[in-house]
Amino acid sequence: MGTIKLQNIRTFSFHGCLEEEGKIGSDYRVDLEIKTDLRKSALTDELKDTVDYVLLNQIVVEEMDIRAKLLEHVAHRIITRIFKEIPSVSRILLAVSKLNPPIGGDVEAVTIEMEEYRN
């Protein structure tokens, strides 16, 4: 087994329960970690034998572009899509952070983390 991590994927998205958040948007950070078998690609040196991190990034960016009220909802969509499109992924650890959230205080980020295993 092995791990692939995409750290600090940055997006400008429109998530949130407040109507204004859907209009003005915010900066977000996504951290993704997946577990997969890297032994074959380590031997063959072929992209087809591993999980393409370009595809992982594309999934994150595309799902972050679809408005949601809750970070949990967008995270669930990302996880579901990765499992659907990449059968070799066995585990996903995902963190979605809203930077400088509008919560009436000096808070750098609010983060949710979800961890899922393939059934």
Side-chain angles (χ1 to χ4, degrees):
M1 291 304 278
T3 303
I4 296 175
K5 297 179 183 182
L6 277 70
Q7 299 171 311
N8 201 19
I9 302 167
R10 293 174 298 279
T11 70
F12 189 83
S13 304
F14 297 87
H15 307 301
C17 292
L18 301 175
E19 188 176 325
E20 303 84 53
E21 292 174 300
K23 294 177 182 174
I24 62 172
S26 297
D27 290 309
Y28 289 82
R29 181 185 71 230
V30 178
D31 296 297
L32 173 64
E33 177 180 305
I34 62 116
K35 290 281 188 190
T36 191
D37 190 343
L38 298 176
R39 291 174 290 191
K40 185 175 182 182
S41 60
L43 295 173
T44 66
D45 195 28
E46 294 293 334
L47 181 59
K48 67 179 178 58
D49 295 327
T50 192
V51 174
D52 185 352
Y53 50 79
V54 172
L55 175 58
L56 290 171
N57 185 68
Q58 177 185 334
I59 290 170
V60 168
V61 170
E62 288 175 0
E63 293 300 326
M64 288 297 291
D65 278 346
I66 302 169
R67 179 163 162 65
K69 292 182 209 166
L70 301 178
L71 298 180
E72 295 91 322
H73 183 75
V74 72
H76 175 73
R77 286 197 324 251
I78 292 167
I79 290 168
T80 300
R81 190 163 160 205
I82 290 171
F83 279 142
K84 180 180 177 187
E85 294 186 25
I86 310 171
S88 63
V89 172
S90 60
R91 175 189 155 268
I92 299 170
L93 178 60
L94 179 70
V96 180
S97 302
K98 178 181 266 190
L99 307 179
N100 302 309
I103 60 174
D106 186 13
V107 178
E108 181 178 330
V110 172
T111 303
I112 64 99
E113 279 190 358
M114 296 178 76
E115 181 176 18
E116 295 289 337
Y117 293 82
R118 183 176 294 282
N119 295 337

